[in-house]
Amino acid sequence: MASKAPEPDKKFDDFYTEVKEIEKRDSVFTPKQQMDRLLRPGSTYFNLNPFEVLQVEPETPIEDIKKQYRKLSFLVHPDKNQEDSERAQQAFEAVSKAWKTLESGETRKKCLDIIEEAKGRTDIMLAEKRKKFKKEGKDRIPEDDPDKYKHAVYVLTMKLFADMERKRRELAERDQEERKRKREQEIEEEENVKAQKEWQKNFEESRQNRVESWQSFQANSKSKSAKSGKKIKMFKPPKNKPESR
């Protein structure tokens, strides 16, 4: 059974309306407008969608996407905006990252798959909404309007990109923790081997010292005996006599 898609969020409605108004007012953004767009509040979230960053439709040919990338990167390049170079650098990095994502066929396909999933889930949501409206005696839903339908897909697309980024970060964190754990284990094993070698070295050195000390003792004893002209008599235990009865 397909899961129900979430309802559109009001903040997306406000943002979408604002963007459309700006687009109508000025079809060619100035450098400042582009930097404001790319660095607006919540840009970390919105800029997850590379099509949104480059302002192209998903079905746009890659050659046209490249042209749009060049135009935007020129507008926000730090060298062209030295009076606001810090913000320009951030905007330029966002544009470059979006292009690298779409330039690769593999990552572009993943992005297109997300958009297709958003469309499919939106259609399921709207089908349920139509049933509800029909029971209430209403023939149409707001999303029957093409612009509002597109907006509904846009909202869900952004949420799916956010989910993908969240999963990517979780995987990266788990991978980092796993690599950290393995490295700590390697360090511990290296220290154990080092300690074992150090112990073995100390043991060998102390054994050699003991051997040399014993040999020195024996040599000194023989030397003293030779000088005195006496032979050292070895102690012999008395023989056991048989008991007389």
mmCIF file with all atom_site columns, all heavy atoms in Angstrom, residues 65-84:
data_model
loop_
_atom_site.group_PDB
_atom_site.id
_atom_site.type_symbol
_atom_site.label_atom_id
_atom_site.label_alt_id
_atom_site.label_comp_id
_atom_site.label_asym_id
_atom_site.label_entity_id
_atom_site.label_seq_id
_atom_site.pdbx_PDB_ins_code
_atom_site.Cartn_x
_atom_site.Cartn_y
_atom_site.Cartn_z
_atom_site.occupancy
_atom_site.B_iso_or_equiv
_atom_site.pdbx_formal_charge
_atom_site.auth_seq_id
_atom_site.auth_comp_id
_atom_site.auth_asym_id
_atom_site.auth_atom_id
_atom_site.pdbx_PDB_model_num
ATOM 1   N N   . ILE A 1 65 ? 21.713 23.390 -19.729 1.00 0.00 ? 65 ILE A N   1
ATOM 2   C CA  . ILE A 1 65 ? 22.030 23.513 -18.296 1.00 0.00 ? 65 ILE A CA  1
ATOM 3   C C   . ILE A 1 65 ? 23.441 24.074 -18.132 1.00 0.00 ? 65 ILE A C   1
ATOM 4   O O   . ILE A 1 65 ? 23.685 24.929 -17.270 1.00 0.00 ? 65 ILE A O   1
ATOM 5   C CB  . ILE A 1 65 ? 21.922 22.137 -17.601 1.00 0.00 ? 65 ILE A CB  1
ATOM 6   C CG1 . ILE A 1 65 ? 20.465 21.645 -17.614 1.00 0.00 ? 65 ILE A CG1 1
ATOM 7   C CG2 . ILE A 1 65 ? 22.425 22.223 -16.168 1.00 0.00 ? 65 ILE A CG2 1
ATOM 8   C CD1 . ILE A 1 65 ? 20.280 20.268 -17.018 1.00 0.00 ? 65 ILE A CD1 1
ATOM 9   N N   . LYS A 1 66 ? 24.354 23.619 -18.982 1.00 0.00 ? 66 LYS A N   1
ATOM 10  C CA  . LYS A 1 66 ? 25.731 24.104 -18.918 1.00 0.00 ? 66 LYS A CA  1
ATOM 11  C C   . LYS A 1 66 ? 25.800 25.592 -19.230 1.00 0.00 ? 66 LYS A C   1
ATOM 12  O O   . LYS A 1 66 ? 26.546 26.345 -18.578 1.00 0.00 ? 66 LYS A O   1
ATOM 13  C CB  . LYS A 1 66 ? 26.609 23.317 -19.896 1.00 0.00 ? 66 LYS A CB  1
ATOM 14  C CG  . LYS A 1 66 ? 28.090 23.635 -19.773 1.00 0.00 ? 66 LYS A CG  1
ATOM 15  C CD  . LYS A 1 66 ? 28.908 22.715 -20.667 1.00 0.00 ? 66 LYS A CD  1
ATOM 16  C CE  . LYS A 1 66 ? 30.403 22.964 -20.463 1.00 0.00 ? 66 LYS A CE  1
ATOM 17  N NZ  . LYS A 1 66 ? 31.216 22.038 -21.308 1.00 0.00 ? 66 LYS A NZ  1
ATOM 18  N N   . LYS A 1 67 ? 25.016 26.045 -20.206 1.00 0.00 ? 67 LYS A N   1
ATOM 19  C CA  . LYS A 1 67 ? 24.981 27.472 -20.552 1.00 0.00 ? 67 LYS A CA  1
ATOM 20  C C   . LYS A 1 67 ? 24.463 28.296 -19.374 1.00 0.00 ? 67 LYS A C   1
ATOM 21  O O   . LYS A 1 67 ? 24.996 29.364 -19.067 1.00 0.00 ? 67 LYS A O   1
ATOM 22  C CB  . LYS A 1 67 ? 24.099 27.698 -21.786 1.00 0.00 ? 67 LYS A CB  1
ATOM 23  C CG  . LYS A 1 67 ? 24.680 27.145 -23.073 1.00 0.00 ? 67 LYS A CG  1
ATOM 24  C CD  . LYS A 1 67 ? 23.715 27.365 -24.233 1.00 0.00 ? 67 LYS A CD  1
ATOM 25  C CE  . LYS A 1 67 ? 24.263 26.755 -25.518 1.00 0.00 ? 67 LYS A CE  1
ATOM 26  N NZ  . LYS A 1 67 ? 23.293 26.910 -26.645 1.00 0.00 ? 67 LYS A NZ  1
ATOM 27  N N   . GLN A 1 68 ? 23.417 27.787 -18.722 1.00 0.00 ? 68 GLN A N   1
ATOM 28  C CA  . GLN A 1 68 ? 22.856 28.483 -17.573 1.00 0.00 ? 68 GLN A CA  1
ATOM 29  C C   . GLN A 1 68 ? 23.863 28.535 -16.423 1.00 0.00 ? 68 GLN A C   1
ATOM 30  O O   . GLN A 1 68 ? 23.990 29.550 -15.734 1.00 0.00 ? 68 GLN A O   1
ATOM 31  C CB  . GLN A 1 68 ? 21.570 27.786 -17.121 1.00 0.00 ? 68 GLN A CB  1
ATOM 32  C CG  . GLN A 1 68 ? 20.911 28.372 -15.882 1.00 0.00 ? 68 GLN A CG  1
ATOM 33  C CD  . GLN A 1 68 ? 20.339 29.754 -16.099 1.00 0.00 ? 68 GLN A CD  1
ATOM 34  O OE1 . GLN A 1 68 ? 20.441 30.323 -17.186 1.00 0.00 ? 68 GLN A OE1 1
ATOM 35  N NE2 . GLN A 1 68 ? 19.729 30.302 -15.056 1.00 0.00 ? 68 GLN A NE2 1
ATOM 36  N N   . TYR A 1 69 ? 24.570 27.449 -16.233 1.00 0.00 ? 69 TYR A N   1
ATOM 37  C CA  . TYR A 1 69 ? 25.610 27.412 -15.186 1.00 0.00 ? 69 TYR A CA  1
ATOM 38  C C   . TYR A 1 69 ? 26.668 28.469 -15.450 1.00 0.00 ? 69 TYR A C   1
ATOM 39  O O   . TYR A 1 69 ? 27.081 29.202 -14.533 1.00 0.00 ? 69 TYR A O   1
ATOM 40  C CB  . TYR A 1 69 ? 26.243 26.021 -15.129 1.00 0.00 ? 69 TYR A CB  1
ATOM 41  C CG  . TYR A 1 69 ? 27.642 26.018 -14.579 1.00 0.00 ? 69 TYR A CG  1
ATOM 42  C CD1 . TYR A 1 69 ? 27.895 26.319 -13.234 1.00 0.00 ? 69 TYR A CD1 1
ATOM 43  C CD2 . TYR A 1 69 ? 28.740 25.755 -15.409 1.00 0.00 ? 69 TYR A CD2 1
ATOM 44  C CE1 . TYR A 1 69 ? 29.193 26.342 -12.730 1.00 0.00 ? 69 TYR A CE1 1
ATOM 45  C CE2 . TYR A 1 69 ? 30.032 25.777 -14.915 1.00 0.00 ? 69 TYR A CE2 1
ATOM 46  C CZ  . TYR A 1 69 ? 30.254 26.070 -13.575 1.00 0.00 ? 69 TYR A CZ  1
ATOM 47  O OH  . TYR A 1 69 ? 31.530 26.095 -13.081 1.00 0.00 ? 69 TYR A OH  1
ATOM 48  N N   . ARG A 1 70 ? 27.127 28.569 -16.693 1.00 0.00 ? 70 ARG A N   1
ATOM 49  C CA  . ARG A 1 70 ? 28.162 29.545 -17.030 1.00 0.00 ? 70 ARG A CA  1
ATOM 50  C C   . ARG A 1 70 ? 27.664 30.968 -16.790 1.00 0.00 ? 70 ARG A C   1
ATOM 51  O O   . ARG A 1 70 ? 28.410 31.823 -16.297 1.00 0.00 ? 70 ARG A O   1
ATOM 52  C CB  . ARG A 1 70 ? 28.589 29.364 -18.486 1.00 0.00 ? 70 ARG A CB  1
ATOM 53  C CG  . ARG A 1 70 ? 29.440 28.113 -18.715 1.00 0.00 ? 70 ARG A CG  1
ATOM 54  C CD  . ARG A 1 70 ? 29.772 27.934 -20.174 1.00 0.00 ? 70 ARG A CD  1
ATOM 55  N NE  . ARG A 1 70 ? 30.724 26.844 -20.382 1.00 0.00 ? 70 ARG A NE  1
ATOM 56  C CZ  . ARG A 1 70 ? 31.100 26.391 -21.578 1.00 0.00 ? 70 ARG A CZ  1
ATOM 57  N NH1 . ARG A 1 70 ? 30.597 26.949 -22.676 1.00 0.00 ? 70 ARG A NH1 1
ATOM 58  N NH2 . ARG A 1 70 ? 31.955 25.395 -21.686 1.00 0.00 ? 70 ARG A NH2 1
ATOM 59  N N   . LYS A 1 71 ? 26.392 31.218 -17.146 1.00 0.00 ? 71 LYS A N   1
ATOM 60  C CA  . LYS A 1 71 ? 25.832 32.555 -16.961 1.00 0.00 ? 71 LYS A CA  1
ATOM 61  C C   . LYS A 1 71 ? 25.769 32.914 -15.473 1.00 0.00 ? 71 LYS A C   1
ATOM 62  O O   . LYS A 1 71 ? 26.185 34.012 -15.072 1.00 0.00 ? 71 LYS A O   1
ATOM 63  C CB  . LYS A 1 71 ? 24.431 32.632 -17.573 1.00 0.00 ? 71 LYS A CB  1
ATOM 64  C CG  . LYS A 1 71 ? 23.808 34.019 -17.466 1.00 0.00 ? 71 LYS A CG  1
ATOM 65  C CD  . LYS A 1 71 ? 22.462 34.089 -18.178 1.00 0.00 ? 71 LYS A CD  1
ATOM 66  C CE  . LYS A 1 71 ? 21.388 33.394 -17.376 1.00 0.00 ? 71 LYS A CE  1
ATOM 67  N NZ  . LYS A 1 71 ? 20.036 33.581 -17.979 1.00 0.00 ? 71 LYS A NZ  1
ATOM 68  N N   . LEU A 1 72 ? 25.281 31.977 -14.653 1.00 0.00 ? 72 LEU A N   1
ATOM 69  C CA  . LEU A 1 72 ? 25.149 32.246 -13.221 1.00 0.00 ? 72 LEU A CA  1
ATOM 70  C C   . LEU A 1 72 ? 26.517 32.357 -12.545 1.00 0.00 ? 72 LEU A C   1
ATOM 71  O O   . LEU A 1 72 ? 26.722 33.216 -11.684 1.00 0.00 ? 72 LEU A O   1
ATOM 72  C CB  . LEU A 1 72 ? 24.321 31.144 -12.553 1.00 0.00 ? 72 LEU A CB  1
ATOM 73  C CG  . LEU A 1 72 ? 22.834 31.109 -12.903 1.00 0.00 ? 72 LEU A CG  1
ATOM 74  C CD1 . LEU A 1 72 ? 22.158 29.944 -12.198 1.00 0.00 ? 72 LEU A CD1 1
ATOM 75  C CD2 . LEU A 1 72 ? 22.151 32.410 -12.522 1.00 0.00 ? 72 LEU A CD2 1
ATOM 76  N N   . SER A 1 73 ? 27.437 31.466 -12.918 1.00 0.00 ? 73 SER A N   1
ATOM 77  C CA  . SER A 1 73 ? 28.760 31.504 -12.295 1.00 0.00 ? 73 SER A CA  1
ATOM 78  C C   . SER A 1 73 ? 29.484 32.801 -12.634 1.00 0.00 ? 73 SER A C   1
ATOM 79  O O   . SER A 1 73 ? 30.262 33.319 -11.817 1.00 0.00 ? 73 SER A O   1
ATOM 80  C CB  . SER A 1 73 ? 29.598 30.299 -12.743 1.00 0.00 ? 73 SER A CB  1
ATOM 81  O OG  . SER A 1 73 ? 29.799 30.311 -14.149 1.00 0.00 ? 73 SER A OG  1
ATOM 82  N N   . PHE A 1 74 ? 29.219 33.337 -13.828 1.00 0.00 ? 74 PHE A N   1
ATOM 83  C CA  . PHE A 1 74 ? 29.817 34.622 -14.208 1.00 0.00 ? 74 PHE A CA  1
ATOM 84  C C   . PHE A 1 74 ? 29.222 35.755 -13.369 1.00 0.00 ? 74 PHE A C   1
ATOM 85  O O   . PHE A 1 74 ? 29.947 36.642 -12.900 1.00 0.00 ? 74 PHE A O   1
ATOM 86  C CB  . PHE A 1 74 ? 29.575 34.893 -15.697 1.00 0.00 ? 74 PHE A CB  1
ATOM 87  C CG  . PHE A 1 74 ? 30.108 36.214 -16.166 1.00 0.00 ? 74 PHE A CG  1
ATOM 88  C CD1 . PHE A 1 74 ? 31.452 36.366 -16.478 1.00 0.00 ? 74 PHE A CD1 1
ATOM 89  C CD2 . PHE A 1 74 ? 29.268 37.317 -16.299 1.00 0.00 ? 74 PHE A CD2 1
ATOM 90  C CE1 . PHE A 1 74 ? 31.955 37.599 -16.906 1.00 0.00 ? 74 PHE A CE1 1
ATOM 91  C CE2 . PHE A 1 74 ? 29.756 38.538 -16.723 1.00 0.00 ? 74 PHE A CE2 1
ATOM 92  C CZ  . PHE A 1 74 ? 31.110 38.681 -17.033 1.00 0.00 ? 74 PHE A CZ  1
ATOM 93  N N   . LEU A 1 75 ? 27.912 35.719 -13.156 1.00 0.00 ? 75 LEU A N   1
ATOM 94  C CA  . LEU A 1 75 ? 27.234 36.772 -12.401 1.00 0.00 ? 75 LEU A CA  1
ATOM 95  C C   . LEU A 1 75 ? 27.726 36.852 -10.956 1.00 0.00 ? 75 LEU A C   1
ATOM 96  O O   . LEU A 1 75 ? 27.903 37.941 -10.417 1.00 0.00 ? 75 LEU A O   1
ATOM 97  C CB  . LEU A 1 75 ? 25.723 36.547 -12.415 1.00 0.00 ? 75 LEU A CB  1
ATOM 98  C CG  . LEU A 1 75 ? 24.948 36.980 -13.661 1.00 0.00 ? 75 LEU A CG  1
ATOM 99  C CD1 . LEU A 1 75 ? 23.488 36.566 -13.544 1.00 0.00 ? 75 LEU A CD1 1
ATOM 100 C CD2 . LEU A 1 75 ? 25.050 38.488 -13.862 1.00 0.00 ? 75 LEU A CD2 1
ATOM 101 N N   . VAL A 1 76 ? 27.910 35.679 -10.318 1.00 0.00 ? 76 VAL A N   1
ATOM 102 C CA  . VAL A 1 76 ? 28.230 35.672 -8.883  1.00 0.00 ? 76 VAL A CA  1
ATOM 103 C C   . VAL A 1 76 ? 29.712 35.406 -8.605  1.00 0.00 ? 76 VAL A C   1
ATOM 104 O O   . VAL A 1 76 ? 30.098 35.227 -7.458  1.00 0.00 ? 76 VAL A O   1
ATOM 105 C CB  . VAL A 1 76 ? 27.376 34.618 -8.139  1.00 0.00 ? 76 VAL A CB  1
ATOM 106 C CG1 . VAL A 1 76 ? 25.903 34.907 -8.312  1.00 0.00 ? 76 VAL A CG1 1
ATOM 107 C CG2 . VAL A 1 76 ? 27.710 33.197 -8.615  1.00 0.00 ? 76 VAL A CG2 1
ATOM 108 N N   . HIS A 1 77 ? 30.536 35.407 -9.638  1.00 0.00 ? 77 HIS A N   1
ATOM 109 C CA  . HIS A 1 77 ? 31.964 35.116 -9.424  1.00 0.00 ? 77 HIS A CA  1
ATOM 110 C C   . HIS A 1 77 ? 32.572 36.165 -8.496  1.00 0.00 ? 77 HIS A C   1
ATOM 111 O O   . HIS A 1 77 ? 32.334 37.370 -8.655  1.00 0.00 ? 77 HIS A O   1
ATOM 112 C CB  . HIS A 1 77 ? 32.704 35.103 -10.762 1.00 0.00 ? 77 HIS A CB  1
ATOM 113 C CG  . HIS A 1 77 ? 34.018 34.406 -10.683 1.00 0.00 ? 77 HIS A CG  1
ATOM 114 N ND1 . HIS A 1 77 ? 35.137 34.978 -10.104 1.00 0.00 ? 77 HIS A ND1 1
ATOM 115 C CD2 . HIS A 1 77 ? 34.400 33.168 -11.097 1.00 0.00 ? 77 HIS A CD2 1
ATOM 116 C CE1 . HIS A 1 77 ? 36.148 34.139 -10.173 1.00 0.00 ? 77 HIS A CE1 1
ATOM 117 N NE2 . HIS A 1 77 ? 35.740 33.035 -10.768 1.00 0.00 ? 77 HIS A NE2 1
ATOM 118 N N   . PRO A 1 78 ? 33.373 35.738 -7.520  1.00 0.00 ? 78 PRO A N   1
ATOM 119 C CA  . PRO A 1 78 ? 33.985 36.680 -6.569  1.00 0.00 ? 78 PRO A CA  1
ATOM 120 C C   . PRO A 1 78 ? 34.795 37.781 -7.233  1.00 0.00 ? 78 PRO A C   1
ATOM 121 O O   . PRO A 1 78 ? 34.822 38.916 -6.749  1.00 0.00 ? 78 PRO A O   1
ATOM 122 C CB  . PRO A 1 78 ? 34.878 35.770 -5.715  1.00 0.00 ? 78 PRO A CB  1
ATOM 123 C CG  . PRO A 1 78 ? 34.242 34.426 -5.813  1.00 0.00 ? 78 PRO A CG  1
ATOM 124 C CD  . PRO A 1 78 ? 33.683 34.342 -7.195  1.00 0.00 ? 78 PRO A CD  1
ATOM 125 N N   . ASP A 1 79 ? 35.470 37.454 -8.349  1.00 0.00 ? 79 ASP A N   1
ATOM 126 C CA  . ASP A 1 79 ? 36.269 38.471 -9.040  1.00 0.00 ? 79 ASP A CA  1
ATOM 127 C C   . ASP A 1 79 ? 35.396 39.568 -9.638  1.00 0.00 ? 79 ASP A C   1
ATOM 128 O O   . ASP A 1 79 ? 35.865 40.694 -9.840  1.00 0.00 ? 79 ASP A O   1
ATOM 129 C CB  . ASP A 1 79 ? 37.092 37.823 -10.158 1.00 0.00 ? 79 ASP A CB  1
ATOM 130 C CG  . ASP A 1 79 ? 38.178 36.908 -9.602  1.00 0.00 ? 79 ASP A CG  1
ATOM 131 O OD1 . ASP A 1 79 ? 38.463 37.008 -8.392  1.00 0.00 ? 79 ASP A OD1 1
ATOM 132 O OD2 . ASP A 1 79 ? 38.713 36.092 -10.373 1.00 0.00 ? 79 ASP A OD2 1
ATOM 133 N N   . LYS A 1 80 ? 34.135 39.247 -9.933  1.00 0.00 ? 80 LYS A N   1
ATOM 134 C CA  . LYS A 1 80 ? 33.216 40.233 -10.497 1.00 0.00 ? 80 LYS A CA  1
ATOM 135 C C   . LYS A 1 80 ? 32.441 40.978 -9.413  1.00 0.00 ? 80 LYS A C   1
ATOM 136 O O   . LYS A 1 80 ? 31.716 41.931 -9.709  1.00 0.00 ? 80 LYS A O   1
ATOM 137 C CB  . LYS A 1 80 ? 32.211 39.527 -11.429 1.00 0.00 ? 80 LYS A CB  1
ATOM 138 C CG  . LYS A 1 80 ? 32.846 38.742 -12.568 1.00 0.00 ? 80 LYS A CG  1
ATOM 139 C CD  . LYS A 1 80 ? 33.519 39.668 -13.561 1.00 0.00 ? 80 LYS A CD  1
ATOM 140 C CE  . LYS A 1 80 ? 34.110 38.879 -14.722 1.00 0.00 ? 80 LYS A CE  1
ATOM 141 N NZ  . LYS A 1 80 ? 34.796 39.760 -15.702 1.00 0.00 ? 80 LYS A NZ  1
ATOM 142 N N   . ASN A 1 81 ? 32.578 40.524 -8.178  1.00 0.00 ? 81 ASN A N   1
ATOM 143 C CA  . ASN A 1 81 ? 31.840 41.131 -7.062  1.00 0.00 ? 81 ASN A CA  1
ATOM 144 C C   . ASN A 1 81 ? 32.773 41.364 -5.875  1.00 0.00 ? 81 ASN A C   1
ATOM 145 O O   . ASN A 1 81 ? 32.531 40.887 -4.769  1.00 0.00 ? 81 ASN A O   1
ATOM 146 C CB  . ASN A 1 81 ? 30.669 40.232 -6.650  1.00 0.00 ? 81 ASN A CB  1
ATOM 147 C CG  . ASN A 1 81 ? 29.676 40.011 -7.771  1.00 0.00 ? 81 ASN A CG  1
ATOM 148 O OD1 . ASN A 1 81 ? 28.779 40.806 -7.994  1.00 0.00 ? 81 ASN A OD1 1
ATOM 149 N ND2 . ASN A 1 81 ? 29.842 38.901 -8.487  1.00 0.00 ? 81 ASN A ND2 1
ATOM 150 N N   . GLN A 1 82 ? 33.846 42.078 -6.129  1.00 0.00 ? 82 GLN A N   1
ATOM 151 C CA  . GLN A 1 82 ? 34.866 42.270 -5.096  1.00 0.00 ? 82 GLN A CA  1
ATOM 152 C C   . GLN A 1 82 ? 34.363 43.090 -3.911  1.00 0.00 ? 82 GLN A C   1
ATOM 153 O O   . GLN A 1 82 ? 34.899 42.972 -2.806  1.00 0.00 ? 82 GLN A O   1
ATOM 154 C CB  . GLN A 1 82 ? 36.101 42.929 -5.710  1.00 0.00 ? 82 GLN A CB  1
ATOM 155 C CG  . GLN A 1 82 ? 36.791 42.040 -6.740  1.00 0.00 ? 82 GLN A CG  1
ATOM 156 C CD  . GLN A 1 82 ? 38.080 42.636 -7.262  1.00 0.00 ? 82 GLN A CD  1
ATOM 157 O OE1 . GLN A 1 82 ? 38.560 43.649 -6.766  1.00 0.00 ? 82 GLN A OE1 1
ATOM 158 N NE2 . GLN A 1 82 ? 38.648 42.007 -8.286  1.00 0.00 ? 82 GLN A NE2 1
ATOM 159 N N   . GLU A 1 83 ? 33.315 43.877 -4.124  1.00 0.00 ? 83 GLU A N   1
ATOM 160 C CA  . GLU A 1 83 ? 32.763 44.658 -3.026  1.00 0.00 ? 83 GLU A CA  1
ATOM 161 C C   . GLU A 1 83 ? 31.950 43.781 -2.071  1.00 0.00 ? 83 GLU A C   1
ATOM 162 O O   . GLU A 1 83 ? 31.646 44.186 -0.949  1.00 0.00 ? 83 GLU A O   1
ATOM 163 C CB  . GLU A 1 83 ? 31.874 45.806 -3.553  1.00 0.00 ? 83 GLU A CB  1
ATOM 164 C CG  . GLU A 1 83 ? 30.538 45.382 -4.149  1.00 0.00 ? 83 GLU A CG  1
ATOM 165 C CD  . GLU A 1 83 ? 30.646 44.717 -5.519  1.00 0.00 ? 83 GLU A CD  1
ATOM 166 O OE1 . GLU A 1 83 ? 31.756 44.742 -6.096  1.00 0.00 ? 83 GLU A OE1 1
ATOM 167 O OE2 . GLU A 1 83 ? 29.623 44.193 -5.997  1.00 0.00 ? 83 GLU A OE2 1
ATOM 168 N N   . ASP A 1 84 ? 31.612 42.580 -2.521  1.00 0.00 ? 84 ASP A N   1
ATOM 169 C CA  . ASP A 1 84 ? 30.862 41.639 -1.688  1.00 0.00 ? 84 ASP A CA  1
ATOM 170 C C   . ASP A 1 84 ? 31.400 40.232 -1.945  1.00 0.00 ? 84 ASP A C   1
ATOM 171 O O   . ASP A 1 84 ? 30.646 39.292 -2.215  1.00 0.00 ? 84 ASP A O   1
ATOM 172 C CB  . ASP A 1 84 ? 29.365 41.723 -2.032  1.00 0.00 ? 84 ASP A CB  1
ATOM 173 C CG  . ASP A 1 84 ? 28.486 41.104 -0.950  1.00 0.00 ? 84 ASP A CG  1
ATOM 174 O OD1 . ASP A 1 84 ? 29.037 40.686 0.088   1.00 0.00 ? 84 ASP A OD1 1
ATOM 175 O OD2 . ASP A 1 84 ? 27.254 41.036 -1.138  1.00 0.00 ? 84 ASP A OD2 1
#
